[in-house]
Amino acid sequence: MLTAQQTEFKMMDCGTETLTDSRSSSSQDLKTLSEMDLRKPLKGFVDMRLKHPLENTWTLWYLENDRTKSWEDMQNEITSFDMVEDFWSLYNHIKPPSEIRIGSDYSLFKKGIQPMWEDDANKYGGRWVINMGRGSKLELDKLWLDVLLILIGEAFEHTEEVCGAVINLRGKSNKISIWTANGHNELAVMEIGLKLRDLLVLPPHQLQYQLHKDSMSKQGSVVKAVYCV
């Protein structure tokens, strides 16, 4: 069982490749992830007894912009998974973010939580935002994968506060955000932000935390940041 209390996070691709994420050397371990052949398809049948369960069940969502539909109707629930091997099977058989249409989103949330501000699990929360500009496709895809591994690996002390993550593909700038349940739980919010900064090896002040209520009531395109790390 993968839990937030474990000091090692092991992921196996069909029982042949093992990834170990030690909290004391997490940055190096995420570097190791990027050096693996993540596009290699899963081979053969995996016996259920050999699968490795995740702490939570996660759901992948895809949004494709359509101005004739409401935001809720544009969200498409793709599939849910609760095993390490099922995550890799899904990841290896969908397009990476760099290959989906501009204006689209991928979202990964705990099962039962919709990627919307209004969802009961999100409405009192906020998000850590990484603005990426128009960086390289490789950098975009790698950072998104790292975020997914951090989420499903329960890398945080306050993992119960984590709701999910979203990547927004836009014409001028791409953005990745990690959503939490209670924006006023400063201890949990800061622990999650600092852990993200360290695991993703981000420069100082690139992560900003915004409350969903501020995003919903914003004037113009700028949302004030409550915290910054």
Side-chain angles (χ1 to χ4, degrees):
M1 176 70 70
L2 293 173
T3 66
Q5 285 72 37
Q6 289 176 307
T7 58
E8 293 189 342
F9 170 36
K10 295 184 177 179
M11 297 201 105
M12 297 185 124
D13 187 355
C14 284
T16 60
E17 297 186 32
T18 303
L19 306 182
T20 303
D21 185 341
S22 169
R23 291 185 179 178
S24 62
S25 58
S26 51
S27 298
Q28 179 60 37
D29 294 328
L30 283 178
K31 181 177 184 295
T32 302
L33 290 173
S34 67
E35 294 170 350
M36 292 183 59
D37 181 6
L38 298 174
R39 297 295 177 268
K40 183 174 64 178
L42 295 174
K43 296 180 180 179
F45 176 77
V46 179
D47 192 316
M48 280 296 293
R49 292 170 297 178
L50 300 178
K51 288 192 174 185
H52 300 79
L54 298 169
E55 181 70 17
N56 285 286
T57 300
W58 297 85
T59 300
L60 180 70
W61 299 76
Y62 174 68
L63 179 146
E64 187 167 279
N65 191 31
D66 184 342
R67 295 185 178 181
T68 67
K69 296 181 180 180
S70 68
W71 183 265
E72 186 173 2
D73 290 337
M74 286 191 291
Q75 293 284 358
N76 297 285
E77 183 176 343
I78 305 303
T79 190
S80 298
F81 59 87
D82 60 1
M83 297 284 179
V84 173
E85 289 77 10
D86 294 339
F87 163 75
W88 285 113
S89 180
L90 171 64
Y91 183 85
N92 287 329
H93 288 86
I94 61 173
K95 291 181 179 180
S98 62
E99 295 182 14
I100 64 176
R101 294 178 58 181
I102 297 296
S104 300
D105 300 343
Y106 272 143
S107 303
L108 187 76
F109 276 73
K110 289 175 180 173
K111 186 175 178 62
I113 303 177
Q114 292 184 310
M116 302 172 60
W117 295 327
E118 299 83 359
D119 190 280
D120 286 342
N122 298 323
K123 62 184 180 181
Y124 299 115
R127 58 183 181 172
W128 281 108
V129 179
I130 310 168
N131 288 300
M132 299 188 63
R134 295 297 296 169
S136 70
K137 292 183 177 181
L138 180 62
E139 180 184 5
L140 178 73
D141 294 341
K142 179 187 180 302
L143 188 60
W144 176 240
L145 174 59
D146 287 347
V147 168
L148 297 184
L149 294 176
I150 290 168
L151 259 62
I152 68 174
E154 312 290 342
F156 307 105
E157 293 293 336
H158 296 86
T159 186
E160 74 285 349
E161 285 288 318
V162 175
C163 297
V166 181
I167 182 167
N168 309 115
L169 285 306
R170 301 296 184 261
K172 294 183 179 179
S173 179
N174 300 315
K175 180 169 60 183
I176 293 176
S177 54
I178 296 83
W179 291 29
T180 70
N182 183 357
H184 298 289
N185 186 345
E186 182 176 358
L187 180 65
V189 168
M190 290 303 296
E191 184 268 325
I192 291 168
L194 290 169
K195 178 71 77 172
L196 281 169
R197 187 190 66 184
D198 292 345
L199 289 172
L200 298 174
V201 198
L202 297 174
H205 312 303
Q206 187 170 344
L207 266 173
Q208 295 188 341
Y209 190 83
Q210 303 167 351
L211 296 173
H212 293 323
K213 68 179 183 65
D214 292 337
S215 298
M216 287 187 279
S217 61
K218 70 179 179 180
Q219 300 293 325
S221 60
V222 179
V223 180
K224 68 177 182 179
V226 181
Y227 308 112
C228 183
V229 297

